[in-house]
Coordinates of all heavy atoms in Angstrom, one line a residue:
M1 N 0.8 -1.2 0.0 CA 0.0 0.0 0.0 C 0.9 1.2 0.0 O 1.8 1.3 0.8 CB -0.8 -0.1 1.3 CG -1.9 1.0 1.5 SD -3.4 0.8 0.9 CE -4.1 2.4 1.5
S2 N 0.6 2.1 -0.9 CA 1.4 3.4 -1.0 C 1.0 4.4 0.0 O -0.2 4.5 0.3 CB 1.2 3.9 -2.4 OG 1.7 3.0 -3.4
E3 N 2.0 5.2 0.4 CA 1.7 6.4 1.3 C 1.0 7.5 0.3 O 1.2 7.4 -0.9 CB 3.0 6.9 1.9 CG 3.5 5.9 2.9 CD 4.8 6.4 3.6 OE1 4.9 7.7 3.7 OE2 5.5 5.6 4.0
E4 N 0.4 8.5 1.0 CA -0.1 9.6 0.2 C 1.0 10.6 -0.2 O 1.9 10.8 0.6 CB -1.2 10.3 1.1 CG -2.0 11.3 0.3 CD -3.1 11.9 1.2 OE1 -3.0 11.8 2.4 OE2 -3.9 12.5 0.6
A5 N 0.7 11.1 -1.4 CA 1.7 12.1 -1.9 C 1.5 13.4 -1.1 O 0.4 13.7 -0.7 CB 1.4 12.4 -3.4
I6 N 2.7 14.0 -0.8 CA 2.7 15.2 0.0 C 2.6 16.4 -1.0 O 3.1 16.3 -2.1 CB 4.0 15.3 0.8 CG1 4.0 14.4 1.9 CG2 4.2 16.7 1.3 CD1 5.3 14.2 2.6
I7 N 1.8 17.4 -0.6 CA 1.8 18.6 -1.5 C 3.0 19.4 -1.3 O 3.3 19.9 -0.2 CB 0.6 19.5 -1.1 CG1 -0.7 18.8 -1.4 CG2 0.6 20.8 -1.9 CD1 -2.0 19.4 -0.9
A8 N 3.8 19.5 -2.3 CA 5.2 20.2 -2.2 C 4.9 21.7 -2.4 O 5.5 22.5 -1.6 CB 6.1 19.7 -3.3
E9 N 4.1 22.1 -3.3 CA 3.7 23.5 -3.5 C 2.3 23.5 -4.1 O 1.9 22.6 -4.8 CB 4.5 24.1 -4.7 CG 6.0 24.3 -4.2 CD 6.2 25.6 -3.5 OE1 5.4 26.5 -3.6 OE2 7.3 25.7 -2.9
K10 N 1.5 24.5 -3.7 CA 0.1 24.6 -4.3 C 0.2 25.4 -5.5 O -0.8 26.1 -5.8 CB -0.7 25.3 -3.2 CG -1.2 24.2 -2.1 CD -2.3 24.8 -1.3 CE -2.8 23.8 -0.3 NZ -3.8 24.4 0.6
S11 N 1.2 25.2 -6.3 CA 1.3 25.9 -7.6 C 2.3 25.1 -8.4 O 3.1 24.4 -7.8 CB 1.7 27.4 -7.4 OG 2.9 27.4 -6.7
P12 N 2.3 25.2 -9.7 CA 3.2 24.5 -10.5 C 4.6 25.1 -10.5 O 4.7 26.3 -10.2 CB 2.6 24.6 -11.9 CG 1.7 25.8 -11.9 CD 1.3 26.0 -10.6
F13 N 5.6 24.3 -11.0 CA 7.0 24.7 -11.1 C 7.2 25.0 -12.7 O 6.9 24.1 -13.4 CB 7.9 23.7 -10.7 CG 7.9 23.4 -9.2 CD1 7.1 22.3 -8.8 CD2 8.6 24.1 -8.3 CE1 7.0 22.0 -7.4 CE2 8.6 23.9 -6.9 CZ 7.8 22.8 -6.5
A14 N 7.6 26.2 -13.0 CA 7.9 26.5 -14.3 C 9.3 26.0 -14.5 O 10.3 26.5 -14.0 CB 7.9 28.0 -14.6
A15 N 9.5 24.9 -15.3 CA 10.7 24.2 -15.4 C 11.3 24.5 -16.8 O 10.6 24.2 -17.8 CB 10.6 22.7 -15.1
E16 N 12.5 24.9 -16.9 CA 13.2 25.1 -18.1 C 13.8 23.8 -18.5 O 14.8 23.3 -17.9 CB 14.2 26.2 -18.1 CG 13.5 27.5 -17.9 CD 14.4 28.7 -18.6 OE1 15.3 28.4 -19.3 OE2 14.1 29.8 -18.2
L17 N 13.3 23.1 -19.4 CA 13.7 21.7 -19.8 C 14.5 21.7 -21.1 O 14.3 22.6 -21.9 CB 12.5 20.8 -19.9 CG 11.6 20.8 -18.7 CD1 10.4 19.9 -18.9 CD2 12.3 20.3 -17.5
V18 N 15.4 20.8 -21.2 CA 16.2 20.7 -22.5 C 15.5 19.6 -23.3 O 15.3 18.5 -22.9 CB 17.6 20.2 -22.1 CG1 18.4 20.1 -23.4 CG2 18.3 21.2 -21.2
R19 N 15.1 20.1 -24.5 CA 14.4 19.1 -25.3 C 15.2 17.9 -25.6 O 16.4 17.9 -25.8 CB 14.2 19.9 -26.7 CG 13.4 19.1 -27.7 CD 13.4 19.8 -29.0 NE 12.5 21.1 -28.9 CZ 11.3 21.1 -29.3 NH1 10.6 20.0 -29.7 NH2 10.6 22.2 -29.2
G20 N 14.6 16.8 -25.5 CA 15.1 15.5 -25.7 C 15.8 14.8 -24.5 O 16.1 13.6 -24.5
E21 N 15.9 15.7 -23.4 CA 16.5 15.1 -22.2 C 15.4 14.3 -21.4 O 14.3 14.7 -21.5 CB 17.0 16.2 -21.3 CG 18.3 16.8 -21.9 CD 19.5 16.0 -21.6 OE1 19.8 15.5 -20.5 OE2 20.3 15.8 -22.5
S22 N 15.9 13.3 -20.7 CA 14.9 12.6 -19.7 C 14.9 13.2 -18.4 O 16.0 13.5 -17.8 CB 15.3 11.2 -19.8 OG 15.2 10.5 -21.0
Y23 N 13.8 13.2 -17.8 CA 13.7 13.7 -16.4 C 12.7 12.8 -15.6 O 11.9 12.1 -16.2 CB 13.0 15.2 -16.5 CG 13.8 16.2 -17.1 CD1 13.7 16.4 -18.5 CD2 14.7 16.9 -16.4 CE1 14.5 17.4 -19.1 CE2 15.5 17.9 -17.0 CZ 15.4 18.1 -18.4 OH 16.2 19.0 -19.0
Y24 N 12.9 12.9 -14.3 CA 12.1 12.2 -13.3 C 11.4 13.2 -12.5 O 11.9 13.8 -11.7 CB 12.9 11.2 -12.5 CG 13.4 10.1 -13.3 CD1 14.6 10.1 -13.9 CD2 12.7 8.9 -13.4 CE1 15.1 9.0 -14.6 CE2 13.1 7.8 -14.1 CZ 14.3 7.9 -14.8 OH 14.8 6.8 -15.5
W25 N 10.0 13.3 -12.7 CA 9.2 14.2 -11.9 C 8.8 13.5 -10.6 O 8.4 12.3 -10.6 CB 7.9 14.5 -12.7 CG 6.9 15.2 -12.0 CD1 6.9 16.5 -11.6 CD2 5.6 14.8 -11.5 NE1 5.9 16.9 -10.9 CE2 5.0 15.8 -10.8 CE3 5.0 13.5 -11.6 CZ2 3.7 15.7 -10.3 CZ3 3.8 13.3 -10.9 CH2 3.1 14.4 -10.4
C26 N 9.1 14.2 -9.5 CA 8.7 13.7 -8.2 C 7.2 13.7 -8.1 O 6.5 14.8 -8.2 CB 9.3 14.6 -7.1 SG 8.7 14.2 -5.4
A27 N 6.7 12.5 -7.8 CA 5.2 12.3 -7.7 C 4.9 12.2 -6.2 O 3.6 12.3 -5.8 CB 4.8 11.0 -8.4
C28 N 5.8 12.0 -5.3 CA 5.5 11.7 -3.9 C 5.5 13.0 -3.1 O 5.0 13.0 -2.0 CB 6.6 10.8 -3.3 SG 8.1 11.5 -3.0
G29 N 6.1 14.1 -3.6 CA 6.2 15.4 -2.9 C 7.3 15.5 -1.8 O 7.4 16.5 -1.2
R30 N 8.1 14.5 -1.7 CA 9.1 14.4 -0.6 C 10.5 14.9 -1.1 O 11.4 15.1 -0.3 CB 9.2 13.0 -0.1 CG 8.0 12.7 0.8 CD 7.9 11.1 0.8 NE 6.8 10.7 1.6 CZ 5.5 10.7 1.3 NH1 5.1 11.1 0.1 NH2 4.5 10.3 2.1
S31 N 10.7 15.1 -2.4 CA 12.0 15.5 -2.9 C 12.4 16.9 -2.4 O 11.5 17.8 -2.3 CB 12.0 15.5 -4.4 OG 13.1 16.0 -4.9
K32 N 13.6 17.1 -2.1 CA 14.1 18.4 -1.7 C 14.6 19.1 -3.0 O 15.2 20.3 -2.9 CB 15.3 18.2 -0.8 CG 15.0 17.6 0.5 CD 14.2 18.5 1.5 CE 14.0 17.9 2.8 NZ 12.9 16.9 2.9
N33 N 14.5 18.5 -4.1 CA 14.9 19.1 -5.4 C 13.7 19.2 -6.3 O 13.7 18.8 -7.5 CB 16.0 18.2 -6.0 CG 16.6 18.8 -7.3 OD1 16.7 20.0 -7.5 ND2 17.0 18.0 -8.2
Q34 N 12.6 19.8 -5.8 CA 11.4 19.9 -6.6 C 11.6 20.7 -7.9 O 12.4 21.6 -7.8 CB 10.3 20.5 -5.8 CG 9.7 19.7 -4.6 CD 9.1 18.5 -5.0 OE1 8.5 18.5 -6.1 NE2 9.1 17.5 -4.2
P35 N 10.9 20.3 -9.0 CA 9.9 19.3 -9.0 C 10.5 17.9 -9.4 O 9.7 17.0 -9.8 CB 9.0 19.8 -10.2 CG 10.0 20.5 -11.1 CD 11.0 21.1 -10.2
F36 N 11.8 17.7 -9.3 CA 12.3 16.5 -9.7 C 12.6 15.6 -8.6 O 12.8 15.9 -7.4 CB 13.6 16.8 -10.4 CG 13.4 17.7 -11.6 CD1 13.9 19.1 -11.6 CD2 12.8 17.3 -12.7 CE1 13.6 20.0 -12.5 CE2 12.5 18.3 -13.8 CZ 13.0 19.5 -13.7
C37 N 12.7 14.3 -8.9 CA 12.9 13.2 -7.9 C 14.4 13.2 -7.4 O 15.3 13.4 -8.2 CB 12.6 11.8 -8.6 SG 13.1 10.4 -7.6
D38 N 14.5 13.1 -6.1 CA 15.9 13.0 -5.5 C 16.0 11.6 -4.8 O 17.0 11.5 -4.0 CB 16.2 14.2 -4.6 CG 15.4 14.1 -3.3 OD1 14.6 13.3 -3.1 OD2 15.7 15.0 -2.4
G39 N 15.2 10.7 -5.0 CA 15.2 9.4 -4.4 C 14.5 9.4 -3.0 O 14.4 8.3 -2.4
S40 N 13.9 10.4 -2.6 CA 13.3 10.5 -1.2 C 12.0 9.6 -1.2 O 11.4 9.4 -0.1 CB 12.9 11.9 -0.8 OG 14.1 12.6 -0.6
H41 N 11.5 9.1 -2.3 CA 10.3 8.3 -2.3 C 10.5 7.0 -1.8 O 9.6 6.2 -1.6 CB 9.7 8.3 -3.8 CG 10.7 7.6 -4.7 ND1 11.6 8.3 -5.4 CD2 10.9 6.3 -5.0 CE1 12.4 7.4 -6.1 NE2 11.9 6.2 -5.9
Q42 N 11.7 6.6 -1.6 CA 12.1 5.2 -1.2 C 11.3 4.9 0.1 O 11.3 5.6 1.1 CB 13.6 5.0 -1.0 CG 14.3 4.8 -2.4 CD 15.7 4.4 -2.3 OE1 16.1 4.0 -1.2 NE2 16.4 4.4 -3.4
G43 N 10.6 3.7 0.0 CA 9.9 3.3 1.2 C 8.5 3.7 1.3 O 7.7 3.3 2.1
T44 N 8.0 4.6 0.3 CA 6.7 5.1 0.3 C 5.8 4.3 -0.6 O 4.6 4.4 -0.5 CB 6.6 6.6 -0.2 OG1 7.1 6.6 -1.5 CG2 7.5 7.5 0.6
G45 N 6.4 3.5 -1.5 CA 5.5 2.7 -2.4 C 5.2 3.7 -3.7 O 4.5 3.2 -4.6
L46 N 5.6 4.9 -3.6 CA 5.4 5.8 -4.7 C 6.6 5.9 -5.6 O 7.8 5.6 -5.2 CB 5.1 7.2 -4.2 CG 3.9 7.3 -3.3 CD1 3.8 8.6 -2.6 CD2 2.6 7.1 -4.1
E47 N 6.4 6.2 -6.9 CA 7.5 6.2 -7.9 C 7.5 7.5 -8.6 O 6.3 8.1 -8.8 CB 7.3 5.0 -8.9 CG 7.4 3.6 -8.2 CD 8.8 3.3 -7.9 OE1 9.8 3.8 -8.5 OE2 9.0 2.4 -7.1
P48 N 8.6 8.0 -9.1 CA 8.6 9.2 -9.9 C 8.1 8.8 -11.3 O 7.9 7.7 -11.7 CB 10.1 9.5 -10.1 CG 10.9 8.1 -9.9 CD 9.9 7.4 -8.9
V49 N 7.8 9.9 -12.1 CA 7.2 9.7 -13.5 C 8.4 10.1 -14.4 O 8.7 11.3 -14.4 CB 6.0 10.6 -13.7 CG1 5.5 10.4 -15.1 CG2 4.9 10.1 -12.8
A50 N 8.8 9.2 -15.2 CA 9.9 9.5 -16.2 C 9.2 10.1 -17.4 O 8.2 9.7 -17.8 CB 10.6 8.2 -16.6
F51 N 9.8 11.2 -17.9 CA 9.4 11.8 -19.2 C 10.5 12.4 -19.9 O 11.5 12.7 -19.4 CB 8.2 12.8 -18.9 CG 8.7 14.0 -18.2 CD1 8.8 15.1 -18.9 CD2 9.0 14.1 -16.9 CE1 9.2 16.4 -18.3 CE2 9.4 15.2 -16.3 CZ 9.5 16.4 -17.0
T52 N 10.3 12.5 -21.2 CA 11.2 13.2 -22.0 C 10.8 14.6 -22.4 O 9.6 14.8 -22.8 CB 11.5 12.4 -23.4 OG1 11.9 11.0 -23.0 CG2 12.5 13.1 -24.2
A53 N 11.6 15.6 -22.2 CA 11.2 16.9 -22.4 C 11.0 17.3 -23.8 O 11.8 16.9 -24.7 CB 12.3 17.8 -21.7
E54 N 10.0 18.2 -24.0 CA 9.8 18.7 -25.3 C 9.9 20.2 -25.4 O 10.3 20.8 -26.3 CB 8.4 18.3 -25.9 CG 8.3 16.9 -26.1 CD 6.8 16.5 -26.5 OE1 6.0 17.3 -26.7 OE2 6.6 15.2 -26.6
K55 N 9.7 20.8 -24.2 CA 9.8 22.3 -24.1 C 9.8 22.7 -22.6 O 9.5 21.8 -21.7 CB 8.6 22.9 -24.8 CG 7.3 22.4 -24.3 CD 6.1 23.0 -25.0 CE 4.9 22.4 -24.3 NZ 3.6 22.9 -24.9
T56 N 9.8 24.0 -22.4 CA 9.6 24.5 -21.0 C 8.1 24.1 -20.6 O 7.2 24.2 -21.4 CB 9.7 26.0 -21.0 OG1 11.1 26.3 -21.4 CG2 9.4 26.5 -19.6
A57 N 8.0 23.6 -19.4 CA 6.7 23.1 -19.0 C 6.4 23.5 -17.6 O 7.3 23.8 -16.8 CB 6.7 21.5 -19.1
Y58 N 5.1 23.5 -17.3 CA 4.6 23.7 -15.9 C 4.4 22.4 -15.2 O 3.5 21.6 -15.6 CB 3.4 24.5 -15.9 CG 3.6 26.0 -16.3 CD1 3.6 26.3 -17.6 CD2 4.1 26.9 -15.3 CE1 3.9 27.7 -18.0 CE2 4.5 28.2 -15.7 CZ 4.3 28.6 -17.0 OH 4.6 29.9 -17.4
L59 N 5.4 22.0 -14.3 CA 5.4 20.7 -13.7 C 4.6 20.9 -12.4 O 4.8 21.7 -11.6 CB 6.7 20.2 -13.5 CG 7.6 20.1 -14.8 CD1 8.9 19.5 -14.4 CD2 6.9 19.2 -15.8
C60 N 3.6 19.9 -12.1 CA 2.8 20.0 -11.0 C 3.6 19.9 -9.6 O 4.4 19.1 -9.5 CB 1.8 18.7 -11.0 SG 0.9 18.6 -9.5
G61 N 3.3 20.9 -8.8 CA 3.9 21.0 -7.5 C 3.0 20.4 -6.4 O 3.5 20.0 -5.3
C62 N 1.7 20.3 -6.6 CA 0.8 19.8 -5.7 C 0.6 18.4 -5.5 O 0.2 17.8 -4.5 CB -0.6 20.5 -5.8 SG -1.6 19.8 -7.1
K63 N 1.0 17.7 -6.6 CA 1.1 16.2 -6.6 C -0.4 15.6 -6.7 O -0.6 14.5 -6.4 CB 1.9 15.6 -5.5 CG 3.3 16.2 -5.3 CD 4.1 16.3 -6.4 CE 5.4 17.0 -6.2 NZ 6.2 17.1 -7.4
R64 N -1.3 16.5 -7.1 CA -2.7 16.0 -7.2 C -3.2 16.0 -8.6 O -4.3 15.7 -8.9 CB -3.6 16.8 -6.3 CG -3.4 16.9 -4.9 CD -3.6 15.5 -4.3 NE -3.5 15.5 -2.8 CZ -2.3 15.3 -2.2 NH1 -1.2 15.1 -2.9 NH2 -2.2 15.3 -0.9
T65 N -2.3 16.4 -9.6 CA -2.6 16.4 -11.0 C -3.1 15.1 -11.4 O -2.5 14.0 -11.0 CB -1.5 17.0 -11.8 OG1 -1.9 16.9 -13.2 CG2 -0.2 16.1 -11.7
A66 N -4.0 15.0 -12.4 CA -4.3 13.7 -13.1 C -3.5 13.5 -14.3 O -3.7 12.6 -15.1 CB -5.8 13.7 -13.4
N67 N -2.6 14.5 -14.6 CA -1.9 14.4 -15.8 C -0.4 14.6 -15.6 O 0.4 15.3 -16.2 CB -2.3 15.5 -16.8 CG -1.7 15.4 -18.2 OD1 -1.4 14.4 -18.6 ND2 -1.5 16.6 -18.8
G68 N 0.1 13.9 -14.5 CA 1.6 14.0 -14.1 C 2.5 13.6 -15.3 O 2.2 12.8 -16.0
P69 N 3.6 14.4 -15.5 CA 4.1 15.3 -14.5 C 3.5 16.8 -14.7 O 4.0 17.7 -14.0 CB 5.6 15.4 -14.9 CG 5.6 15.2 -16.3 CD 4.5 14.2 -16.6
F70 N 2.6 17.0 -15.5 CA 2.1 18.4 -15.9 C 1.0 18.9 -15.0 O 0.1 18.1 -14.6 CB 1.7 18.4 -17.3 CG 2.8 17.9 -18.2 CD1 2.7 16.6 -18.8 CD2 4.0 18.6 -18.4 CE1 3.7 16.2 -19.7 CE2 5.0 18.1 -19.2 CZ 4.9 16.9 -19.8
C71 N 1.0 20.1 -14.7 CA -0.1 20.8 -13.9 C -1.3 20.7 -14.8 O -1.2 21.1 -16.0 CB 0.3 22.3 -13.7 SG -1.0 23.3 -13.0
D72 N -2.4 20.4 -14.2 CA -3.7 20.4 -14.9 C -4.7 21.3 -14.3 O -5.9 21.2 -14.6 CB -4.3 19.0 -15.1 CG -4.7 18.4 -13.7 OD1 -4.6 19.0 -12.7 OD2 -5.4 17.3 -13.7
G73 N -4.2 22.1 -13.3 CA -5.1 23.1 -12.7 C -5.8 22.6 -11.4 O -6.4 23.5 -10.7
T74 N -5.6 21.4 -11.0 CA -6.1 20.9 -9.8 C -5.7 21.7 -8.6 O -6.5 21.8 -7.7 CB -5.7 19.3 -9.7 OG1 -6.2 18.6 -10.8 CG2 -6.3 18.8 -8.4
H75 N -4.5 22.3 -8.6 CA -4.0 23.0 -7.5 C -5.0 24.1 -7.1 O -5.0 24.6 -5.9 CB -2.6 23.5 -7.7 CG -2.5 24.5 -8.8 ND1 -2.3 24.2 -10.1 CD2 -2.6 25.9 -8.8 CE1 -2.3 25.3 -10.8 NE2 -2.5 26.4 -10.0
N76 N -5.8 24.6 -8.0 CA -6.7 25.7 -7.8 C -7.8 25.3 -6.9 O -8.5 26.1 -6.3 CB -7.3 26.2 -9.1 CG -6.2 27.1 -9.9 OD1 -5.5 27.9 -9.3 ND2 -6.1 26.7 -11.1
K77 N -8.0 24.0 -6.7 CA -9.1 23.5 -5.9 C -8.7 23.0 -4.5 O -9.5 22.6 -3.7 CB -9.8 22.3 -6.6 CG -10.3 22.6 -8.0 CD -10.9 21.4 -8.6 CE -11.0 21.6 -10.2 NZ -10.9 20.4 -10.9
L78 N -7.4 23.1 -4.2 CA -6.9 22.7 -2.9 C -7.1 23.8 -1.8 O -7.1 25.0 -2.1 CB -5.4 22.4 -3.0 CG -5.1 21.2 -4.0 CD1 -3.6 21.0 -4.1 CD2 -5.7 19.9 -3.5
Ligands
FES101 FE1 -0.6 20.4 -9.2 FE2 -1.3 22.5 -10.7 S1 0.3 22.3 -9.3 S2 -2.2 20.6 -10.6
FES102 FE1 9.4 12.0 -4.9 FE2 11.2 10.4 -5.9 S1 11.5 11.9 -4.4 S2 9.1 10.5 -6.5

């Protein structure tokens, strides 16, 4: 059973990404290197979301998005 994701920020992170590079978005909210995974999810049952960058993106900080790693506006309802 997984632990609940922690809300890291109630707003998205504007991340400057390098096109074609691979990133790991922190889904658990525990990383000290938001919005990216730093391994702090270990033991929570939660996993980061790997994705390949296409452009600068707004990466979800609240960890409640239904479209991780991207912000889908859910933070406005928290
Ligand atoms: Fe999580 Fe916008 S920051 S949905
Ligand atoms: Fe949050 Fe890895 S530290 S998913």
Side-chain angles (χ1 to χ4, degrees):
M1 182 92 175
S2 298
E3 293 180 26
E4 192 176 9
I6 290 172
I7 296 171
E9 290 275 343
K10 282 192 178 176
S11 56
F13 296 94
E16 293 207 13
L17 306 175
V18 179
R19 184 185 291 265
E21 286 285 309
S22 294
Y23 295 89
Y24 288 89
W25 172 72
C26 170
C28 76
R30 290 157 177 79
S31 173
K32 299 283 187 284
N33 184 34
Q34 293 293 333
F36 304 108
C37 174
D38 72 354
S40 298
H41 62 270
Q42 281 192 10
T44 64
L46 299 168
E47 295 286 337
V49 176
F51 68 104
T52 302
E54 292 174 8
K55 59 180 180 182
T56 296
Y58 289 92
L59 301 183
C60 172
C62 75
K63 316 306 178 183
R64 297 295 184 274
T65 179
N67 187 34
F70 306 107
C71 171
D72 70 354
T74 299
H75 65 271
N76 288 314
K77 300 178 202 146
L78 297 175

